[in-house]
């Protein structure tokens, strides 16, 4: 089968699943809907794998499959076609999206078994998958944008899936609107790039960037900065991250798929895709790195204080995304994608695991009411633990390799800085602490579970994905083993060689000093280990300790617990201001001016007509007079 | 007939007819009594007849007089109908001032 | 060659204008009618001067003899009291009306009179139309119009009889 057909099946399969379930959205047959949806996702994964193996057969210099289906927009000299590119980067992205996606679809069959609208759910999930594939496979900015908007829309639909609860529906709306604000920046950035390069195609833009001469740097910087604004909206960075914690109102598989593994990574993907452009604008990269680092630390601090299991994971996601942007900001594009992949594994795993816990606890999400669940939920506990070890950076687990690469590059790269590395280390410490806290409060220690709930392990359809993802969290890192370790074990860094062609190296990157790298690695291991141990002590050995610490720093604790009051600040200064402005416009311009003008016109017509009406006196002599006057006037005009 | 200077030309008749026409028009505009208004209209029609006859003599064409013939017939008919209407109206309103017929005022 | 004595012309025209003014200015409608009769007769005299003998005769017969008489009969039926004020409207509007009439007179007279004053002041044709010409024209070129006017007169006859009959009375008697 030709590449066009396989790629076509890849893209169309989830759409067909969407149509099937969409038309039958009232059906309550969960098994049928779920199976169809999972099959659709599975077929896409299969196609992606086939294309991946075909890629391997191609020689390294031309390792890409480019398919153009039809010409989409043609305005003068601007031509955009619906074309897709399966190259090294999009291969990895699509494998992650379809692979993890299929597992989550499978999990949802079990999770949504008692819902009253399962078909609608699976339809939305498939639609999301289709749009995400558009995003990562599009060969130009416009096709990517279609997918970008599409996933935003599906995110809104899925977050507000239980829309009858007003708070949940509001959360969906918040996600969409915050995204939209970012999208304004994205659009402006796209226009700036088009103004400079005259094309939207990634390949053409990146090729043009090989020779930097003649490109207006100020406009390029503005363009990349605006693109980054779009990325902050989609990938939940400062200042547009506020939607992600609220997005936990949606069903847990949604949180796993969209807000951990795929959609939120779109911003990272976009920047990596355009890495030559970003490398040429160091100012933007500094901004990205700083915001990434700040977000990583800030979100981690909030995660320390939360009691809702999903909120903890949400802030963790924001924090880990911060790491990805930190990586991108210092020029470690490969590391960013690496962390994207490992994060997809362990975060999706942990979200699904939390879904399993919530399911077992009959929709209870407060960790204060959990504890000692490792006895009742053994598989969930085991797999969750694998994810936990990965995220805190335990050596040999996947998260260790990826996070370490980021921390190393934030120190070593010419665009990096000691402070950035320090922020990363501090964030890593917090991460280890709050994840261990989560484990301790949920699975270990004494059980605080109320007597009525009888937690039981989830069915196989839910545990199998957990096991698969758990395995990936453990072994997934071995394709990107850093050299200093790889030399010893004779494992080459597959990741680096795979991406060599597509990811440009930061100019001025010197040789890596084995000593420095090892030292930094040891420091991060030590910090993570210390933080984890501290959390263990706090929550298992001496449960009263946390309360003591909190009472000593009451003010700071309140600040952090309330998420630094960011939402309140936005409400007061931004939203209220806008609403009042709109009200003022409505009152003074619309009602006061425009409406008044229309009334004035009609009043004028009425009074003029009234005046003219006076002419009809009914007095026939008057009419005769008018005739004569008219006659005189007419003849005078004609003759004289 | 003594041969006095023949100085009466066509335009004399035109001016005379115009004067009569305008007097008639003034009568229509100024008088209150409907019957007098009708009489003024007859006056206007007569002025027109004068013009036609004068022109007929000027060109030597009989058509002008034929038209006068018709105008006279029609004027008489119109006067008859008009007076019949006024009779009917008089029965209702007991008066023939023009002021009484203002039903169509706006 | 038409020889019009200026004196005759001016005399008759002066009288005509005076009686026309009398029509519109007389307070009593009967006097207006009388003035109208005088105007008609004088107009007939004018027609005689123009050698349009047939038309002059018809003028006397139809207008002065029938139409004016009709007016007088109707006025006598009405038996109106003398009106307090015979002119409608206030004095200002009347002045305006007079002005308008003067204006229209000027419009009618001046262009045509001016145009023709420059033309041959004499009369174009020596020979005046005679009854024979009139008959030939009437029953030749204008035959159709003649017939139509006949039909019109029939309609007028029926119409005026219907209108002038005391409709209200007959109907009311029947309903009683």
């Amino acid at each position: 089968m030709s590449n066009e057909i396989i790629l076509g099946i890849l893209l169309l399969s989830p759409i067909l699943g969407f149509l099937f379930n969409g038309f039958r959205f009232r059906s309550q047959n969960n098994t049928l809907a779920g199976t169809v949806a999972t099959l659709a996702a599975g077929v896409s994964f299969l196609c992606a794998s086939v294309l991946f193996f075909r890629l391997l057969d191609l020689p390294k210099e031309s390792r890409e499959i480019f398919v153009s289906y039809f010409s989409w927009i043609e305005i003068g000299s601007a031509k955009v076609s619906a074309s897709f590119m399966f190259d090294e980067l999009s291969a990895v992205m699509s494998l992650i999206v379809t692979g993890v996606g299929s597992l989550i679809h499978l999990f949802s069959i079990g999770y949504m078994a008692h819902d009253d609208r399962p078909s609608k759910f699976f339809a939305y999930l498939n639609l999301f998958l289709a749009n995400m594939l558009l995003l990562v496979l599009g060969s130009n900015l416009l096709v990517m944008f279609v997918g970008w908007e599409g996933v935003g829309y599906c995110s809104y639909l899925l977050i507000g899936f239980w829309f009858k609860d007003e708070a949940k529906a509001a959360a969906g709306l918040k996600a969409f609107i915050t995204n939209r604000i970012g999208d304004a920046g994205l659009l402006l950035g796209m226009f700036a790039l088009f103004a400079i390069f005259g094309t939207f195609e990634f390949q053409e833009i990146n090729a043009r960037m090989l020779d930097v001469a003649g490109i207006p740097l100020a406009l390029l910087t503005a363009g990349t900065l605006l693109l980054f604004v779009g990325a902050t909206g989609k990938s939940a960075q400062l200042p547009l991250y506020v939607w992600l914690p609220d997005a936990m109102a949606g069903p847990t598989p949604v949180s796993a798929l969209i807000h951990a593994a795929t959609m939120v990574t779109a911003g990272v993907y976009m920047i990596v895709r355009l890495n030559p452009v970003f490398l040429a604008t160091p100012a933007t990269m500094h901004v990205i790195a700083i915001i990434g680092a700040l977000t990583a630390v800030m979100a981690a601090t909030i995660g320390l204080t939360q009691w809702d299991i999903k909120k903890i994971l949400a802030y963790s996601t924001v924090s880990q995304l911060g790491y990805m942007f930190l990586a991108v900001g210092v020029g470690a594009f490969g590391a960013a994608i690496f962390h994207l992949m490992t994060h997809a594994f362990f975060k999706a795993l942990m979200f699904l695991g939390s879904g399993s816990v919530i399911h077992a606890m009959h929709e209870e999400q407060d960790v204060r009411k959990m504890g000692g669940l490792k006895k009742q939920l053994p598989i969930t506990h085991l797999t969750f633990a694998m994810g936990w070890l990965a995220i805190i950076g335990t050596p040999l687990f996947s998260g260790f390799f990826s996070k370490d690469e980021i921390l190393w590059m934030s120190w070593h790269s010419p665009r990096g800085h000691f402070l950035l590395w320090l922020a990363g280390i501090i964030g890593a410490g917090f991460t280890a602490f709050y994840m261990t806290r989560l484990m301790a409060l949920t699975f270990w220690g004494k059980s605080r579970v109320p007597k009525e709930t009888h937690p039981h392990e989830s069915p196989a359809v839910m545990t199998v994905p957990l096991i698969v993802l758990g395995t990936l969290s453990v072994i997934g890192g071995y394709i990107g083993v850093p050299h200093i370790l790889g030399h010893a074990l004779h494992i080459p860094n597959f990741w680096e060689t795979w991406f060599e062609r597509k990811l440009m190296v930061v100019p001025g990157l010197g040789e890596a000093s084995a000593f420095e790298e090892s030292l930094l690695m040891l420091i991060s291991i030590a910090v993570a280990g210390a933080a984890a141990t501290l959390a263990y002590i706090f929550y298992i050995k001496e449960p009263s300790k946390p309360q003591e610490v909190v009472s000593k720093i009451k003010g700071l604790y309140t600040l952090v617990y309330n998420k630094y009051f960011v939402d309140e600040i936005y409400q007061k200064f931004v939203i209220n201001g806008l609403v009042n402005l709109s009200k003022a416009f409505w009152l003074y311009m619309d009602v006061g001016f425009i409406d008044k003008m229309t009334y004035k016109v009609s009043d004028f017509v009425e009074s003029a007509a009234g005046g003219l009406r006076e002419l009809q006196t009914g007095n026939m002599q008057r009419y005769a007079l008018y005739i004569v006057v008219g006659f005189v006037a007419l003849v005078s005009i004609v003759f004289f | 007939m003594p041969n006095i200077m023949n100085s009466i030309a066509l335009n004399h008749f035109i001016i005379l007819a115009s004067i009569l026409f305008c007097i008639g028009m003034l009568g229509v505009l100024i008088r209150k009594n409907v019957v007098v208004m009708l009489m003024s209209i007859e006056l206007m029609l007569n002025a027109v007849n004068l013009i036609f006859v004068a022109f007929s003599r000027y060109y030597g064409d009989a058509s002008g007089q034929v038209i006068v013939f018709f105008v006279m017939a029609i004027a008489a008919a119109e006067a008859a109908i008009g007076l019949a209407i006024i009779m009917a109206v008089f029965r209702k309103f007991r008066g023939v001032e023009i002021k009484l017929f203002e039903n169509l005022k706006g | 060659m038409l020889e019009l004595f200026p004196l005759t012309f001016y005399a008759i025209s002066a009288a005509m204008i005076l009686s026309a003014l009398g029509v519109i200015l007389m307070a009593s409608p009967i006097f207006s009618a009388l003035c109208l009769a005088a105007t008609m007769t004088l107009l007939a005299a004018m027609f005689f001067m123009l050698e349009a003998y047939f038309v002059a005769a018809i003028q006397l017969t139809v207008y002065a003899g029938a139409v004016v008489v009709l007016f007088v009969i109707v006025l006598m039926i009405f038996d109106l009291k003398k009106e307090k004020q015979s002119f409608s409207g206030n004095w200002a509007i009347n002045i305006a009306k007079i002005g308008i009439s003067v204006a229209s007179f000027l419009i009618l007279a001046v262009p045509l009179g001016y145009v023709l004053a420059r033309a041959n002041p004499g009369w174009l044709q020596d020979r005046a139309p005679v009854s024979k010409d009139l008959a030939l024209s009437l029953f030749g070129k204008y035959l159709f119009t003649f017939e139509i006017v006949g039909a019109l007169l029939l309609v007028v006859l029926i119409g005026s009889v219907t209108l002038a009959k005391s409709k209200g009375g007959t109907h009311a008697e029947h309903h009683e």
Side-chain angles (χ1 to χ4, degrees):
Chain A
M1 261 199 281
S2 75
N3 291 331
E4 283 87 2
I5 297 183
I6 297 186
L7 192 65
I9 296 178
L10 199 165
L11 290 166
L12 280 175
S13 167
I15 295 182
L16 289 175
F18 160 68
L19 286 172
F20 178 83
N21 277 320
F23 280 120
R24 301 179 67 252
F25 73 94
R26 276 203 204 88
S27 154
Q28 305 216 330
N29 189 342
N30 177 61
T31 325
L32 177 65
T35 317
V36 169
T38 313
L39 275 175
V43 165
S44 285
F45 178 67
L46 211 62
C47 294
S49 316
V50 169
L51 285 173
F52 173 70
F53 283 116
R54 288 201 185 178
L55 264 192
L56 284 176
D57 284 337
L58 291 171
K60 196 170 150 147
E61 306 75 47
S62 56
R63 193 162 267 164
E64 63 201 28
I65 299 172
F66 185 87
V67 175
S68 178
Y69 284 113
F70 56 88
S71 172
W72 179 24
I73 299 174
E74 267 186 57
I75 304 177
S77 58
K79 283 193 209 308
V80 181
S81 44
S83 46
F84 302 93
M85 179 163 67
F86 197 87
D87 70 343
E88 296 98 327
L89 179 60
S90 44
V92 169
M93 291 300 295
S94 52
L95 281 173
I96 296 173
V97 166
T98 50
V100 177
S102 307
L103 289 170
I104 296 180
H105 277 76
L106 183 64
F107 182 89
S108 307
I109 301 181
Y111 193 77
M112 302 299 282
H114 303 301
D115 198 84
D116 64 328
R117 282 266 187 271
S119 295
K120 199 162 81 151
F121 181 77
F122 282 108
Y124 287 159
L125 269 189
N126 271 136
L127 184 66
F128 169 83
L129 203 64
N131 278 306
M132 192 67 205
L133 285 169
L134 273 182
L135 202 160
V136 296
L137 288 173
S139 82
N140 56 60
L141 273 167
L142 278 187
V143 174
M144 187 196 85
F145 185 68
V146 171
W148 186 282
E149 290 297 308
V151 296
Y153 174 57
C154 292
S155 171
Y156 158 74
L157 287 172
L158 284 164
I159 294 173
F161 184 69
W162 292 310
F163 57 86
K164 296 199 175 97
D165 181 339
E166 225 177 281
K168 296 193 163 67
L173 205 60
K174 182 172 178 177
F176 193 75
I177 293 178
T178 321
N179 240 238
R180 215 70 187 96
I181 298 173
D183 289 347
L186 180 70
L187 275 170
L188 289 172
M190 275 167 59
F191 296 154
L193 284 186
F194 185 76
I196 296 174
F197 296 105
T199 174
F200 285 115
E201 294 285 331
F202 290 128
Q203 277 184 305
E204 287 173 25
I205 294 177
N206 287 337
R208 178 75 182 82
M209 287 306 298
L210 287 173
D211 174 23
V212 196
I215 296 179
L217 192 63
L219 186 59
L220 194 66
T221 312
T224 50
L225 213 51
L226 286 166
L227 284 177
F228 176 59
V229 169
T232 56
K234 186 66 84 185
S235 302
Q237 296 296 292
L238 241 54
L240 293 172
Y241 70 92
V242 288
W243 62 271
L244 204 144
D246 283 26
M248 296 300 118
T252 312
V254 170
S255 311
L257 181 62
I258 299 184
H259 309 126
T262 49
M263 186 181 93
V264 291
T265 59
V268 183
Y269 162 75
M270 176 183 72
I271 297 180
V272 172
R273 176 59 87 189
L274 287 170
N275 66 82
V277 179
F278 278 88
L279 275 175
T281 57
T284 312
M285 285 183 75
H286 286 316
V287 172
I288 298 178
I290 294 173
I291 290 191
L294 276 176
T295 313
V297 176
M298 197 194 94
T301 56
I302 302 181
L304 290 173
T305 60
Q306 298 297 309
W307 296 116
D308 182 334
I309 188 172
K310 284 179 73 171
K311 284 257 166 46
I312 299 175
L313 290 172
Y315 283 106
S316 167
T317 306
V318 175
S319 174
Q320 295 301 307
L321 287 167
Y323 276 101
M324 292 182 223
F325 279 101
L326 172 61
V328 161
V330 300
F333 302 108
I337 298 289
F338 192 23
H339 198 59
L340 194 158
M341 185 178 77
T342 59
H343 177 261
F345 295 150
F346 57 69
K347 195 45 75 62
L349 164 66
M350 285 198 282
F351 264 114
L352 291 185
S354 74
S356 179
V357 168
I358 294 171
H359 192 72
M361 293 288 295
H362 296 293
E363 318 307 325
E364 175 59 66
Q365 294 182 216
D366 193 330
V367 292
R368 290 173 287 196
K369 298 208 181 70
M370 302 183 196
L373 284 174
K374 73 172 176 196
K375 288 201 195 59
Q376 287 111 330
L377 309 173
I379 305 181
T380 309
H381 169 243
L382 187 62
T383 51
F384 207 102
M386 294 195 237
W388 162 67
L389 287 170
I391 195 175
I392 65 174
T394 317
L396 304 182
F397 282 74
S398 61
F400 166 68
F401 294 114
S402 59
K403 189 185 292 195
D404 216 70
E405 187 67 24
I406 296 176
L407 289 173
W408 161 244
M409 282 304 277
S410 63
W411 165 273
H412 177 69
S413 160
R415 304 257 168 104
H417 193 274
F418 161 71
L419 284 175
L420 289 173
W421 172 83
L422 192 64
I425 279 286
I426 293 175
F430 285 148
T431 308
F433 187 89
Y434 69 67
M435 288 312 299
T436 316
R437 169 179 177 263
L438 176 67
M439 289 296 289
L441 285 173
T442 313
F443 292 106
W444 305 333
K446 278 204 300 278
S447 170
R448 296 177 298 280
V449 176
K451 291 276 191 322
E452 309 80 57
T453 12
H454 295 292
H456 56 92
E457 186 57 88
S458 306
V461 76
M462 286 165 74
T463 53
V464 165
L466 289 176
I467 296 173
V468 174
L469 284 170
T471 319
L472 283 170
S473 301
V474 177
I475 63 168
Y478 285 103
I479 57 174
V481 180
H483 289 290
I484 49 168
L485 295 177
H487 277 307
L489 302 165
H490 297 288
I491 305 176
N493 193 335
F494 294 109
W495 195 260
E496 204 176 300
T497 35
W498 176 252
F499 281 109
E500 242 170 13
R501 193 173 71 99
K502 269 296 155 82
L503 301 179
M504 280 173 63
V505 180
V506 183
L509 187 67
E511 266 301 311
S513 152
F515 168 69
E516 269 183 19
E517 208 177 327
S518 323
L519 182 64
L520 263 46
M521 204 182 291
L522 284 170
I523 294 179
S524 56
I525 295 175
V527 166
T533 320
L534 193 65
Y536 184 76
I537 295 173
F538 263 45
Y539 291 100
I540 300 293
K541 285 284 191 286
E542 295 179 47
S544 57
K545 243 335 187 156
Q547 213 32 48
E548 278 177 44
V549 177
V550 164
S551 53
K552 289 210 190 85
I553 50 164
K554 199 80 175 131
L556 184 64
Y557 178 78
T558 321
L559 180 68
V560 177
Y561 182 66
N562 283 304
K563 314 165 273 160
Y564 299 101
F565 297 106
V566 172
D567 279 316
E568 288 76 11
I569 294 175
Y570 281 171
Q571 179 70 35
K572 184 152 176 212
F573 290 104
V574 180
I575 297 174
N576 283 350
L578 270 174
V579 169
N580 287 334
L581 187 68
S582 305
K583 276 196 190 145
F585 269 130
W586 172 73
L587 202 59
Y588 292 112
M589 281 221 65
D590 202 27
V591 172
F593 183 68
I594 294 175
D595 280 359
K596 236 203 192 133
M597 283 297 117
T598 52
Y599 291 147
K600 276 215 167 32
V601 169
S602 63
D603 282 346
F604 171 72
V605 171
E606 214 178 309
S607 57
L612 283 174
R613 189 163 44 97
E614 301 287 316
L615 281 176
Q616 280 203 297
T617 55
N619 183 349
M620 264 184 281
Q621 274 182 322
R622 192 61 74 87
Y623 295 163
L625 180 62
Y626 293 152
I627 295 175
V628 178
V629 169
F631 160 72
V632 170
L634 252 154
V635 177
S636 319
I637 293 172
V638 171
F639 272 122
F640 304 125
Chain B
M1 271 189 266
N3 198 352
I4 303 182
M5 213 169 54
N6 191 352
S7 56
I8 302 298
L10 187 58
N11 50 335
H12 287 78
F13 284 96
I14 291 175
I15 292 177
L16 174 64
S18 307
I19 294 177
L20 284 177
F21 185 84
C22 293
I23 291 177
M25 190 167 67
L26 189 63
V28 170
L29 293 174
I30 256 188
R31 286 302 293 251
K32 216 163 54 168
N33 193 324
V34 177
V35 182
V36 176
M37 279 173 77
L38 264 174
M39 285 196 253
S40 310
I41 291 175
E42 294 297 322
L43 196 53
M44 286 158 81
L45 284 163
N46 276 288
V48 171
N49 280 350
L50 181 60
I51 289 271
F52 271 120
V53 171
F55 267 92
S56 157
R57 177 66 188 86
Y58 184 81
Y59 284 110
D61 192 353
S63 303
Q65 294 187 17
V66 171
I67 291 177
V68 169
F69 191 76
F70 291 135
V71 170
M72 247 186 248
I74 293 182
E78 166 237 330
I81 291 277
L83 287 170
I85 292 176
I86 292 176
M87 291 271 288
V89 166
F90 179 75
R91 254 182 243 117
K92 186 157 166 69
F93 287 99
R94 291 272 119 208
V96 280
E97 287 90 43
I98 195 75
K99 266 266 182 267
L100 292 169
F101 313 132
E102 281 185 354
N103 278 352
L104 280 177
K105 74 167 143 197
Chain C
M1 207 57 195
L2 178 65
E3 286 171 10
L4 292 171
F5 289 117
L7 187 64
T8 329
F9 175 79
Y10 285 129
I12 298 184
S13 51
M16 213 189 300
I17 291 174
L18 278 173
S19 53
L21 284 171
V23 170
I24 71 167
L25 293 176
M26 286 284 186
S28 165
I30 295 280
F31 284 146
S32 289
L34 276 171
C35 287
L36 187 67
T39 317
M40 304 294 185
T41 319
L42 288 163
L43 198 60
M46 200 61 86
F47 288 158
F48 272 114
M49 266 178 51
L50 280 167
E51 298 178 345
Y53 305 115
F54 185 70
V55 177
I58 303 180
Q59 168 88 359
L60 278 174
T61 316
V62 171
Y63 266 124
V67 173
V68 174
V69 170
L70 192 59
F71 273 109
V72 172
I73 291 176
V74 169
L75 282 172
M76 277 163 54
I77 290 179
F78 288 162
D79 191 24
L80 299 164
K81 303 285 180 295
K82 201 155 179 167
E83 297 153 6
K84 299 176 291 290
Q85 182 214 12
S86 49
F87 301 113
S88 69
N90 53 13
W91 64 270
I93 200 104
N94 289 342
I95 300 284
K97 287 171 184 171
I98 294 171
I100 272 291
S101 304
V102 169
S104 49
F105 159 70
L106 287 172
I107 282 188
L108 285 173
V110 167
L112 295 172
Y114 189 69
V115 162
L116 286 166
R118 285 157 154 267
N120 187 351
W123 295 90
L124 215 51
Q125 296 294 335
D126 273 344
R127 189 181 154 278
V130 180
S131 308
K132 184 173 164 192
D133 303 320
L134 196 65
L136 283 171
S137 199
L138 186 65
F139 290 102
K141 195 164 144 192
Y142 294 100
L143 178 65
F144 185 62
T145 320
F146 182 70
E147 301 298 336
I148 296 285
V149 172
L152 179 82
L153 287 174
L154 181 65
V155 169
V156 167
L157 175 70
I158 300 173
S160 55
V161 168
T162 319
L163 279 171
K165 254 163 84 126
S166 47
K167 296 184 287 217
T170 348
H171 280 257
E173 278 158 27
H174 278 310
H175 284 152
E176 238 86 48

